[in-house]
Each structure stands twice: as structure tokens, then as C-alpha cells.
Amino acid sequence: AYKTIEDDDLKFPLIYGEGKKARVMATIGVTRGLGDHDLKVHDSNIYIKPFLSSAPEVRVYDLSKYEHGADDVLILATDGLWDVLSNEEVAEAITQFLPNCDPDDPHRYTLAAQDLVMRARGVLKDRGWRISNDRLGSGDDISVYVIPLIHGNKLS
């Protein structure tokens, strides 16, 4: 669907909606517009690019300041995971999964990532993909990396 931008649309907030429904100037999803330099609002000469920022939020975690165990990990994942599972649910899943793996198994982190993907996708039921508490599973792409922090111990 297309929306014609009116003068009233150019007032703050420029981002309408929340979560997956968030749109820049009620036209395009925020993440979809980051690399589209020539994108204009439909039927107008208004460029959307000035309303988007490609500057990421960056947080630095100094691995050498802490001693990490084999089950201390960083979870890097796309919104397909985070849209359906909370930080707490992901942390709980990881703390339940990793201790049940052989600590010498080089694939334990890959298996943990696969477990998170399956949790986010859910199971196919008569009303679609469902996760715990009969919530909708993710219909989005899901990419998950489980990155062990124990290797940071060698940095000090």
C-alpha cells in the first residue's frame, strides 16, 4: 500500500508505530531504508534518507576485565529471534541448554544457536507456528550466533 505524504506528516514523530509496524514517515520500515539512498516517499520529491541514521549504537565490553566460563556467551541474533523471545527467555534457554552439552564438544555453541532458532520458530499447529504459551512463533528470518566469551580469558 502507498501513502501520500501530506505537510502534516512531516511533523514529529517521523517514525510511526512500534516494533515490526514501525515506519519512517509512515512509508517504509526503518531497517529496510538504511541503505536506500535514493528512496522517496511515493508520488513526491521527499527523500526519506535524511530521516534515517546509519550510525549504529555501539557498546564496548572489555573481555580482558572479566574471567569467563565455558557457558558465558554473547547472543547475536536478528529480529526473528528477538521479536518473539525476550532477553530473559533467551538467557534461560541458554543456561538450560549449555550445561547439558559435553564441554569438549566443539559444536555445542552451534547446537545452542539451533535450539534458539527452533524455540523462536515454534511448532506448526492448526493455527500456524506457535511457541510457548500458544504465542505466535516467528514468521521472520532467524539468524542466531552463540559466541563463547571464554576465549577472552587469554587476552589478559
Side-chain angles (χ1 to χ4, degrees):
Y2 292 104
K3 177 184 184 335
T4 302
I5 299 297
E6 307 293 334
D7 287 338
D8 285 343
D9 294 323
L10 298 177
K11 295 187 292 189
F12 288 99
L14 295 175
I15 299 176
Y16 297 86
E18 294 180 23
K20 287 183 135 184
K21 304 252 187 253
R23 297 286 178 257
V24 175
M25 299 175 71
T27 300
I28 187 171
V30 176
T31 57
R32 298 284 187 245
L34 292 179
D36 200 342
H37 299 280
D38 296 322
L39 180 67
K40 292 182 182 180
V41 174
H42 180 68
D43 282 340
S44 79
N45 286 324
I46 300 171
Y47 284 97
I48 289 183
K49 191 64 178 176
F51 299 98
L52 300 173
S53 170
S54 60
E57 177 183 336
V58 176
R59 295 184 188 189
V60 176
Y61 178 83
D62 188 351
L63 289 173
S64 64
K65 285 187 176 182
Y66 305 96
E67 189 73 21
H68 298 96
D71 293 348
D72 293 330
V73 296
L74 169 71
I75 307 297
L76 182 65
T78 60
D79 61 340
L81 177 79
W82 303 116
D83 284 345
V84 297
L85 297 177
S86 68
N87 291 342
E88 293 75 20
E89 289 172 310
V90 169
E92 182 179 340
I94 286 294
T95 56
Q96 289 175 0
F97 188 90
L98 286 177
N100 292 315
C101 294
D102 177 359
D104 296 323
D105 182 354
H107 303 292
R108 69 193 300 253
Y109 302 109
T110 301
L111 294 170
Q114 290 172 343
D115 180 67
L116 288 174
V117 169
M118 297 308 294
R119 286 173 184 263
R121 177 68 69 220
V123 294
L124 186 58
K125 295 188 177 178
D126 58 334
R127 295 178 299 148
W129 292 93
R130 298 288 173 172
I131 61 173
S132 62
N133 298 329
D134 207 34
R135 296 178 296 169
L136 280 176
S138 180
D140 203 349
D141 295 329
I142 308 169
S143 296
V144 177
Y145 296 90
V146 176
I147 303 165
L149 299 179
I150 194 167
H151 304 294
N153 296 344
K154 298 175 186 170
L155 298 175
S156 39

